[in-house]
Amino acid sequence: MLSLRGIILGLCSFVWATHALAGLQLDCYQYADKALTVHAGGHFVDPYFTNRALITAHQLGLDIQPVARQWIEWALAHQSVDGRFGRYCLHGTQQWQRCAAADADDASLALWQQLLYLVSARDAQYGAWHNSVQRARQQLDHLYDARRGIYLVSSTQRFGLLMDNVEIYNALSTIARQQRDLGATSLAAATLARAKSLHQAINRVFWRSDRQTYAVTTQAEEPKNFYPHIVAQVYPWLFDLPTPVNTQQAYRRWRARYAERWLSFTQDKYPWGLVAATAYKLGDRATAERWLRHAGTLRHGRRWNILEEAIYQALAREFAMPVTQECKRGES
């Protein structure tokens, strides 16, 4: 009998023209049991990365329904009773086992709820996924710091991160819209109120008016490395968080100062397609296309992950660029 690893579909070649691309294609990352790995052909699953990839692809206009529903079925079976997710490794050739805690429970829990609402708001609100949403929401509520009005990373990491809180704000805003569209107006109003309160707290806790930038953590700050400090500044623009300064002007300053470093692909292990998605969203098509044309050399290798792939496919379709690449094994 073929092993689970042996029948992974992601090692075959795939070629398509973006104008014919019906939706997000993640064969290189998907096992036969529908688990989605961080790297092409890998044996490590991090639900945060998968959820972020699927949500971002949706926000950039790709159809995620088929692959997202398959992934949700797998993830539901691996969600802990308390609502949290871990990170999972392939044990032998057949079974996925939890091998690490989530890197950040707060963002992981928020993105899971957001994904379920995006794929089927009715199932998330009233149907088959509702219990999962409830457990994730209760666990996220435990991480709320009422004094500061933000969310903390986990029950053991009692500090707040800008990037996580911006993602949670975006998740709450999305969920509120979906609840409203379902006719759950009272619930939608309560969720939107949580989002607005979090927005105010993020700007109060993290914004540094003297520098006109955000702090990235409530901890003592470290040296200003590209990740997380420089990357974190684009998160409010990408995820629709209103900021104290004009978004376009702030982005242009960021681009003038950091774009060449980012596009050199030497500043971090990954090429940070989320920055390209931000550029595209803000109308800077030239910068987004430049990332797209240079990042392709990294696809499915050691410096590429499922999130980069989702963004690459979405931008390739927007720029009508054919996507032709043989899958290669990345790192686990």
Side-chain angles (χ1 to χ4, degrees), residues 88-151:
Y88 308 89
C89 298
L90 190 63
H91 181 70
T93 59
Q94 297 294 331
Q95 294 183 331
W96 295 96
Q97 294 187 353
R98 180 174 173 137
C99 56
D103 182 55
D105 281 332
D106 58 347
S108 179
L109 291 163
L111 265 60
W112 173 245
Q113 296 173 68
Q114 184 178 11
L115 178 66
L116 294 183
Y117 268 94
L118 284 174
V119 173
S120 175
R122 183 160 296 279
D123 274 343
Q125 185 64 44
Y126 306 115
W129 303 338
H130 183 61
N131 179 261
S132 175
V133 170
Q134 289 286 90
R135 287 182 286 145
R137 185 173 67 189
Q138 290 169 4
Q139 195 63 235
L140 181 60
D141 287 346
H142 291 326
L143 300 178
Y144 183 69
D145 178 353
R147 181 176 65 85
R148 287 181 285 195
I150 61 171
Y151 291 86

Side-chain angles (χ1 to χ4, degrees), residues 237 243-253:
W237 310 328
T243 65
V245 295
N246 180 274
T247 294
Q248 287 289 342
Q249 292 177 0
Y251 168 70
R252 286 195 292 270
R253 286 195 297 270

Side-chain angles (χ1 to χ4, degrees), residues 58-71:
H58 171 83
Q59 292 172 333
L60 288 171
L62 284 183
D63 176 18
I64 65 169
Q65 282 286 334
V67 67
R69 285 183 175 276
Q70 292 171 352
W71 158 252

Side-chain angles (χ1 to χ4, degrees), residues 211 214-217 219-233 257-258 261 267:
R211 303 198 305 257
Y214 284 96
V216 302
T217 178
Q219 299 171 295
E221 289 199 63
E222 299 174 355
K224 302 299 186 288
N225 298 324
F226 184 79
Y227 171 79
H229 294 84
I230 296 172
V231 169
Q233 304 307 317
R257 188 171 182 181
Y258 301 117
R261 290 174 58 184
Q267 300 298 298

Side-chain angles (χ1 to χ4, degrees), residues 266-280:
T266 62
Q267 300 298 298
D268 190 69
K269 174 180 179 180
Y270 296 119
W272 282 99
L274 283 173
V275 180
T278 304
Y280 178 79

